[in-house]
Structures are given as C-alpha cells and as structure tokens.
C-alpha cells in the first residue's frame, strides 16, 4: 500500500533506512522481489544519466522556441553561482531542453519537471564521487515523498499548477539530497517541506501550451531550491510547519487556482502580449 | 499509484499526455488491427489539435502505428520511417462531438483493404483509453488482454461468449456491453486476466451472430 503521509514513511523508517522502507513497500505493493524493484530503479537512473549524454546543443524543439541554452550556460565564465551550482543550472536546462526537443528523459514526477532530479544528483555524484548504488537509493527516497504528494495533493500541472510539477520535483529532490549527504529521515521531511513551502502557489502557464517557456528554466529553480532546502535542513533549521501540513496546504492552494493558471495556456506568461504573439505565430 | 508512477516512465518528450500517451494510442491501434496499417488517416481534436504539432503528437501516433514504444528514440523521425515502410499518413485537425480534449480519431486501412476506425483519448501521465471502434462505443485501456466482439443483438449471445471463455479457463476481469439499437449491432468488451488462445478466439468468431472478433494484447508483438 502506498504511503498516505510523510509521518507514515517516518514511522516505517524507524527500524530501517528510509529508502529501504520505500523499497519494501514497493515489493509488497506490486508483489515483486527486491531484485526486480532495484533493477527497475537502476534502469531509471541509467536513463537519467543517458539523457544528459544524449543532449545535443544543435537540436531545436519542433516549434523552434527552445534548444542550445544549456550549452551556453555551461560555457559561461565567472558566474556568481560558482562552478557547482553552475553545473546544476546547466544540467537542469540540458534535460529540460532535451525533453522539449523530443529527446528521451525520465518523467520525475512529470516530463515537464524531468530536469530537477538529474540536475541535483548528477553534479553531486561527480563532485563527491558517490556510488550509483547511493544514487538509486536517493531515487527511492524521492519516490516515497513523491507518492505522498501525489496522494494528498497532486503531481499534475492541469490539476494543481506548477507547484504540483516542478514544486513536487523540488521537494522530492530536497529529500533525496539529504539522503545523499547521510542525513536523517526527519531532515529529509524538513527539506521536502521547506522546498515545497518556497514554491507554494506557483502557477502553470506554458506559452502556446508547450512545455518550453517557462518550464525549462523552472527546472533550474526547482533544483537550486532543493539544494538550499537540503542544506537548511541539514544545518538543523526548523521548518516551522510539518511536511504533511505543507502538502495539504499545497492541495488546497492548487484547488483554488483558477483554471487559466492550470495548464490551459490562458493565463500568466501565456497571456502576456509576447506569449500570445508566439502562440499566434505557431 | 506505485512509486514507478512517480519516478518514470522513461519517455521521449515533451509531454506525457501529448507525446507518450499519443504513442500508446498508435500502438493500441496497431494491435487492434493486428498488423501495420497500409494507410492511416489521423484526426486530432481539442488540445491535441491546438498544441499537437508543437508536442509532436502527430509524429508520436505514427511512431506507435509503426510499433515503437514511448521511449523509442526514433519517434521524432516517424514520418520519414512511415514513408520508408510504405505507410501513407494523413494528419488533420478538427472537432469531435463531446470528446475528451486529448482525443484522436483514426481511420486505418488493413493490408486486405478493409478499414477500421478508432477513437482514443490520452488521459494524462501516459495513460490512454479507447472510446469507440468502428463507430460503436467501447471503453478500455489495453492494460489487460482484451476481446472486442461485434455481434447481432439477440438473446443468448452473451451466454455463448462467456461459456466459450469459461471452457478455455479464461477469467473475466471486466465486461461491458454496448449496442446501437435494440436488435441491431452490439459490442462486448471483455478484459481478461490472462492471454487468450487463438483457438478460443476462433471459436468465438465462429459463433452464430458474431460479425467480428478483435483481440488486443499489448504484451505481444503486432
Ligand atoms: S508550467 Fe505547467 S507545463 Fe510547464 S513545467 Fe510547470 S506545470 Fe509543467
């Protein structure tokens, strides 16, 4: 049975690592062996790695709006963010653009937000020389928290706005990062909750209805926010509101968003003069 | 919802509903036909029509008709590949009455020359649903082996079909009945827990009053 609350995951993680509790639950839920579940998660991790390798800076999206920006970001000199965050930013752009250009990605939790998880995990793995095994554990942690968000709130922009897509991805990534750095389950919950708090209310307003503007760059925001939330949680900062309550607030906010701000391409950036012009041109 | 509905699927972008779901619609259509169509006339409705070109919905459906899965890297090149495979493709946009916003209407030509029509919708997250086959309502998603039986609407038909399934030890997971009018043409959509043998399908097709029996198993090659 899928986890219905973050508290339920924390309870299950009292006697074993949190990622293991999520893995065990998956085995019970789908009636598969640990080996099967792990093999599947390994495939997803390999596909995330592959999506950045397959990125082609010369490729453009079907409508011509996107492509090539990640390479520019990666090549930029003297960034304020410094080399590590610069790599996070360019990885998020890379996967976002790859997705927009009909490349192969891993929906996490959706295609629009597919850049967030690889953007935080790949540069960290490289910098700290972390094992693939640990990265796969991180994906279990992320999926566990994502499951709660999906069941209590939503992971669909059409239902809950972009807080449900890039927001969920950011919360999931924050929890995963805490695991990567050896943090506790309570810190994972705090990190996820803080990341979500920061993105509460984010609207879904894709220009011309396409997963390009602002989606690609929102993956950057989701990734950087996840890193900040994970660092805050591991520094022992108090999240203020428990993660479950934040998720419930996210559900309530999503319900009160007008439909123009839920993937219809009628409000927000899509409704700006330039946004409309682009939509007309296509 | 399993953790792999959250993490995954691996797919060609940009959109799970407009791209991955569209590939699945094409795949479903190919499986229903049983072979690669000679020609495909594809009508896109609603959001499929409005943003389909930008999302590659048209190319995704064609990729599915060619037998590609949603993570196949050649999906963007499907028009070219269809040409090479000798499949004629026509894409239009239009309005379908009372249809889900992400709906496609396909007219497929079988190598034998007969045509089949199919209406299917993409429900989000890559999940799809068939709404109608050859103009008759039929709702299913292709996740289980599915039998679609077109028959004359007469008493006893349902009993004979379920008796045949019972004799072959097939367990019915769900069953729906639709008809155009009393005594007219009816459709049974039967989802089963296990794959159905060719022999069983032939037995049902040979029943008196059965006009056509179509079988769909997405786990088998088509
Ligand atoms: S703006 Fe909408 S379509 Fe774009 S990533 Fe966010 S939720 Fe997805």
């Amino acid at each position: 049975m899928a986890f219905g609350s973050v508290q339920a995951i924390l309870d299950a993680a009292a006697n074993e690592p949190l990622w293991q509790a999520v893995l065990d639950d998956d085995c019970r839920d789908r009636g598969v062996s640990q080996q099967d579940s792990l093999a599947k998660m390994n495939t997803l991790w390999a596909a995330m790695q592959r999506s950045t390798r397959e990125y082609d800076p010369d490729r453009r999206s079907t409508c011509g709006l996107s492509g090539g920006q990640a390479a520019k970001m990666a090549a930029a000199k003297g960034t304020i963010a410094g080399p590590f965050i610069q790599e996070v930013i360019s990885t998020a752009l890379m996967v976002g653009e790859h997705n927009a250009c009909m490349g192969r990605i891993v929906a996490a939790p959706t295609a629009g937000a597919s850049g967030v998880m690889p953007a935080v995990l790949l540069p960290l793995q490289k910098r700290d020389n972390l094992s693939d095994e640990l990265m796969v554990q991180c994906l279990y942690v992320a999926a566990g928290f994502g499951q709660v968000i999906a069941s209590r709130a939503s992971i669909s922009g059409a239902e809950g706005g972009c807080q449900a897509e890039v927001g969920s991805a950011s919360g999931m990534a924050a929890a995963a990062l805490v695991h990567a750095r050896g943090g506790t389950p309570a810190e994972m919950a705090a990190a996820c909750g803080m990341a979500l708090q920061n993105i509460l209310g984010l609207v879904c307003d894709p220009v011309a209805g396409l997963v390009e503007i602002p989606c690609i760059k929102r993956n950057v925001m989701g990734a950087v926010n996840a890193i900040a939330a994970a660092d805050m949680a591991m520094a022992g900062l108090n999240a203020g509101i428990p993660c479950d309550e934040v998720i419930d607030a996210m559900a309530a906010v999503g319900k009160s968003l007008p439909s123009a701000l839920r993937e219809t391409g009628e409000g927000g950036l899509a409704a700006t003069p330039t946004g409309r012009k682009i939509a007309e041109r296509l | 919802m399993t953790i792999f509905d959250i993490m995954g699927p691996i797919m060609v972008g940009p959109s799970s509903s407009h791209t991955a779901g569209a590939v699945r619609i094409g795949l479903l259509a190919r499986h229903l036909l049983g072979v690669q169509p000679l020609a495909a006339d594809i009508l896109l409705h609603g959001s499929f029509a409005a943003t389909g070109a930008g999302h590659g919905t048209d190319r995704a459906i064609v990729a599915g008709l060619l037998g590609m899965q949603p993570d196949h890297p050649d999906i963007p090149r499907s028009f070219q590949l269809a040409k090479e495979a000798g499949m004629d493709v026509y894409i239009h946009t239009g309005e379908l009455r009372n249809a889900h916003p992400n709906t496609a209407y396909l007219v497929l030509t079988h190598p034998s020359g007969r045509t089949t029509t199919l209406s299917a919708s993409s429900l989000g997250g890559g999940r799809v649903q068939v709404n109608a086959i050859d103009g008759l309502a039929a709702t299913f998603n292709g996740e289980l082996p599915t039998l679609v039986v077109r028959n004359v609407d007469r008493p006893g038909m349902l009993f004979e079909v379920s008796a045949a399934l019972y004799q072959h030890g097939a367990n019915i997971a769900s069953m729906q009945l639709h008809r155009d009018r009393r005594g007219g043409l009816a459709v049974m959509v039967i989802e089963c827990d296990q794959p159905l043998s060719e022999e069983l399908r032939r037995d049902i097709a040979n029943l008196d009053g059965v006009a056509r029996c179509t079988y769909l198993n997405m786990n088998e090659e088509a």
Side-chain angles (χ1 to χ4, degrees):
Chain A
M1 238 281 294
F3 291 111
S5 67
V6 169
Q7 190 54 50
I9 305 187
L10 294 184
D11 292 345
N15 304 313
E16 57 179 343
L18 190 140
W19 72 270
Q20 180 78 47
V22 177
L23 166 64
D24 288 347
D25 189 66
D26 178 49
C27 294
R28 274 192 301 273
D29 191 20
R30 297 190 300 124
V32 297
S33 68
Q34 297 229 357
Q35 239 173 352
D36 288 345
S37 180
L38 279 165
K40 193 158 181 179
M41 200 59 101
N42 267 298
T43 313
L44 295 183
W45 174 239
M48 279 187 189
Q49 293 172 307
R50 188 181 58 199
S51 62
T52 58
R53 280 200 307 274
E54 282 179 350
Y55 170 75
D56 174 359
D58 294 329
R59 217 152 131 178
R60 294 293 172 270
S61 64
T62 310
C63 68
L65 286 179
S66 319
Q69 307 282 295
K72 233 188 220 176
M73 189 65 230
K77 293 271 175 300
T79 56
I80 303 164
F84 178 71
I85 293 294
Q86 180 173 0
E87 195 178 344
V88 170
I89 297 172
S90 48
T91 308
L93 293 171
M94 211 181 262
V95 180
E97 288 185 329
H98 193 52
N99 177 58
C101 299
M102 296 188 83
R104 257 189 301 186
I105 53 86
V106 181
T110 62
S114 58
V116 177
M117 289 300 309
V120 302
L121 293 182
L122 289 169
L124 189 70
Q125 176 181 40
K126 197 165 96 185
R127 189 193 72 180
D128 293 355
N129 226 334
L130 305 174
S131 67
D132 284 332
E133 211 184 327
L134 179 64
M135 295 297 103
V136 168
Q137 294 174 3
C138 287
L139 294 185
Y140 277 100
V141 171
F145 280 87
Q147 218 174 18
V148 176
I149 298 171
S151 76
R152 291 177 87 100
S154 167
I155 53 165
S156 142
E159 261 177 71
C162 200
Q163 56 166 6
E165 293 202 8
V166 169
S168 300
S170 191
M172 290 157 58
L177 282 172
V178 171
H179 178 67
R181 300 282 290 148
T184 65
E187 286 164 351
M188 294 175 205
C192 175
M194 284 192 278
L196 291 176
Q197 288 186 32
N198 294 350
I199 301 186
L200 215 62
L202 187 65
V203 302
C204 171
D205 51 354
V207 168
L210 301 176
V211 193
E212 303 192 33
I213 306 170
C215 315
I216 295 170
K217 296 193 186 76
R218 277 195 185 152
N219 279 275
V220 173
M221 183 273 296
V224 174
N225 180 53
I227 291 171
D231 273 342
M232 286 195 282
M234 293 199 63
L237 270 60
N238 184 351
I241 310 285
C243 192
D244 279 325
E245 290 182 39
V246 177
I247 294 171
D248 291 347
M250 178 178 158
V253 169
K255 282 206 184 78
S256 60
L257 282 179
S259 106
L261 300 175
R262 284 187 283 118
E263 212 176 279
T264 49
E266 287 165 4
L269 295 171
T272 56
T274 305
R276 285 192 202 283
K277 229 181 273 162
I278 293 173
E280 268 162 41
R281 183 166 56 77
L282 295 176
Chain B
M1 183 167 280
T2 80
I3 52 169
F4 293 103
D5 294 315
I6 308 292
M7 207 50 86
I10 302 169
M11 55 169 272
V12 162
S15 156
S16 58
S17 53
H18 288 67
T19 320
V23 176
R24 281 195 57 88
I25 288 177
L27 263 177
L28 256 169
R30 179 189 173 100
H31 277 85
L32 277 171
L33 205 65
V35 290
Q36 186 158 298
L38 265 190
D41 196 293
I42 301 167
L43 183 126
L44 303 173
H45 159 89
S47 168
F48 264 13
T51 66
H55 280 130
T57 305
D58 43 7
R59 286 182 279 169
I61 294 178
V62 171
L65 288 171
L66 290 170
M68 292 182 216
Q69 296 289 335
D71 66 344
H72 202 294
D74 284 338
I75 292 170
R77 300 199 305 125
S78 70
F79 286 170
Q80 179 60 34
L81 294 171
K83 201 182 248 169
E84 288 166 20
M87 182 170 95
D88 288 332
V89 173
Y90 309 93
I91 310 275
H92 329 258
T93 58
E95 279 291 313
L96 298 168
R97 258 195 310 140
N98 295 329
H100 180 281
N102 294 331
T103 299
Y105 180 78
L106 279 62
V107 182
L108 306 171
T109 309
H110 191 273
S112 72
R114 76 176 157 84
T115 60
T116 286
T117 72
L118 172 81
S119 159
S121 306
S122 177
L123 306 179
R127 287 173 307 117
V128 300
Q129 175 187 292
V130 171
N131 313 308
I133 300 177
D134 293 333
L136 289 172
T139 313
F140 59 95
N141 59 22
E143 273 157 36
L144 290 173
T146 305
L147 202 61
V148 184
V149 182
R150 251 78 50 95
N151 59 281
V152 183
D153 181 29
R154 67 159 170 82
M157 264 314 348
L158 176 59
F159 170 75
E160 287 168 35
V161 170
S162 42
L165 286 163
Y166 170 72
Q167 272 162 17
H168 286 264
N171 193 40
I172 298 176
S174 88
M175 187 162 198
Q176 304 157 45
L177 305 169
H178 304 274
R179 63 176 180 190
D180 55 355
R181 62 190 158 78
R182 184 183 292 199
L185 208 55
V187 179
M188 294 179 212
V189 179
I190 305 161
E191 297 184 292
C192 294
D193 289 329
Q194 49 289 103
L196 305 178
S197 70
E198 237 189 284
E199 197 192 347
L200 162 60
R201 278 136 56 193
R202 204 172 331 113
D203 284 358
I204 293 177
N206 289 337
L207 287 173
D208 201 23
V210 168
R212 198 191 282 178
C213 172
T214 313
Y215 176 61
L216 176 82
N217 181 0
M218 298 288 282
N219 297 320
E220 274 169 20
E221 291 281 311

